[in-house]
Structures are given as structure tokens and as C-alpha cells.
Amino acid sequence: MRIHDRAAERAAAPRAFSAFYRDTIKPLIAYVIVSGAPAAIAAEIAQDCMIELFKRWERVRHPRAYVYKAAARMWGRRAAKVRMEAPLDALPEPTSLVPKPDALAEFETRHEMLQVLKALPPRQRQVLLLTLQEFTPAEIAEQLELEAGTVRAHLMRARRAAAARFEEGEEEQ
């Protein structure tokens, strides 16, 4: 490879990362929130994952899978250290990633799907969320270090539970 080609490739990397960041940051934050993290912590985790990805940008072959896997691991470690069951006393300060922290409550009220997802066991929730982010069962299996059949089984159970929950909601109305 010529020196000119390498220089052009290095110059294109920040633009490629920037486009990836814009397309991925909000769905990544949503994934961490629905995984159980408060909005401010989810935004922090997503940002940390993006920083780590940027440092490795030219070496990472599958950046989307990288940040989702990193986010799941970061949230898992953080949730294991601190019990997140206690509600926050006050809303976190707005940030550019989470401009209106109180908007999450409004969003949850309007969208039953979040309630359904929160009711699922963690692994089923994780598999369903990754499926909704358009990862294939094979990609999810690789990311979570599971067998593809196990992923499909979790996905099937999650879909059944979600369907049953929606049916319950319709019967109540």
C-alpha cells in the first residue's frame, strides 16, 4: 500500500467513526436503559463504550457488535457492584445524550413495550433487545458467547412472554 493511500485511509477514519457514532449512540443508550440502567448511567456507559471504540477504530472489524457487547458488560459490572433497585431522589442533570431525563417516564407511560421488556428475565430481554436492534441470532450468540440454538430459545420464550403480556393488557381494557 502506498503512503498516499494510508494517509487517505487515516483521514477517512474520523469521518467514518463520526457517522457511526451519530447512527448508533441513541439506540445504544436505549438498549442499556431497557437493560435496567437509569438514563444518566446508560448515557455514561454508551459514551465510555464509544470512547473505547474510537481508540481501537481501525482495528475493530464489527464496531456495532463491539459497542453493544462492551455496553452490556459495563452495565453488568456496574449493576453487580451497586444495587440499582432504590429510586433516585432527584432527576439527573440533562446532558446532550439525555436532554430531558424526565422524558423517559413519559416515554414509558406511552409505550407498553418497555414495560413488557422490563418484565422479561434479563437474558431474554437482552436477546430480544439485540434482535430489535437488527442483530441476527448468530451475531447475538457470538456476542453473548452462547450457542445460536440457545439464543433462538431465549428469543422464542421472550416473544411468547411479550405476546402473553400484550394479550393480558388487551383483556383488561
Side-chain angles (χ1 to χ4, degrees), residues 45-148:
I45 288 171
Q47 189 67 20
D48 288 347
C49 291
M50 288 295 191
I51 290 168
E52 290 304 314
L53 174 63
F54 183 72
K55 291 175 184 176
R56 297 170 174 80
W57 181 251
E58 293 181 6
R59 295 184 307 257
V60 174
R61 289 193 337 222
H62 304 287
R64 193 164 148 254
Y66 177 92
V67 294
Y68 275 80
K69 186 173 187 175
R73 286 183 173 173
M74 280 185 192
W75 168 238
R77 283 192 301 270
R78 194 149 181 183
K81 286 182 184 175
V82 180
R83 289 313 231 142
M84 302 304 285
E85 294 172 6
L88 295 174
D89 292 335
L91 290 172
E93 291 295 317
T95 68
S96 60
L97 296 175
V98 185
K100 291 173 43 180
D102 57 333
L104 182 61
E106 295 169 23
F107 183 80
E108 286 178 333
T109 302
R110 288 193 320 255
H111 299 283
E112 269 183 64
M113 185 62 179
L114 283 178
Q115 300 306 321
V116 171
L117 287 170
K118 286 182 176 183
L120 293 174
R123 184 62 83 187
Q124 289 178 21
R125 181 182 333 137
Q126 189 176 34
V127 168
L128 185 57
L129 285 169
L130 289 169
T131 300
L132 293 171
Q133 295 291 333
E134 299 180 2
F135 284 95
T136 66
E139 291 171 329
I140 296 169
E142 182 179 334
Q143 195 172 355
L144 301 179
E145 299 172 358
L146 299 171
E147 296 294 323

Side-chain angles (χ1 to χ4, degrees), residues 2-66:
R2 295 188 343 221
I3 293 173
H4 183 269
D5 293 340
R6 277 190 237 143
E9 203 174 277
R10 272 190 239 118
R15 287 190 300 276
F17 177 80
S18 182
F20 172 81
Y21 180 93
R22 284 189 307 274
D23 291 343
T24 310
I25 191 70
K26 288 183 181 178
L28 182 61
I29 292 169
Y31 170 69
V32 180
I33 288 170
V34 178
S35 294
I41 291 174
E44 182 182 317
I45 288 171
Q47 189 67 20
D48 288 347
C49 291
M50 288 295 191
I51 290 168
E52 290 304 314
L53 174 63
F54 183 72
K55 291 175 184 176
R56 297 170 174 80
W57 181 251
E58 293 181 6
R59 295 184 307 257
V60 174
R61 289 193 337 222
H62 304 287
R64 193 164 148 254
Y66 177 92

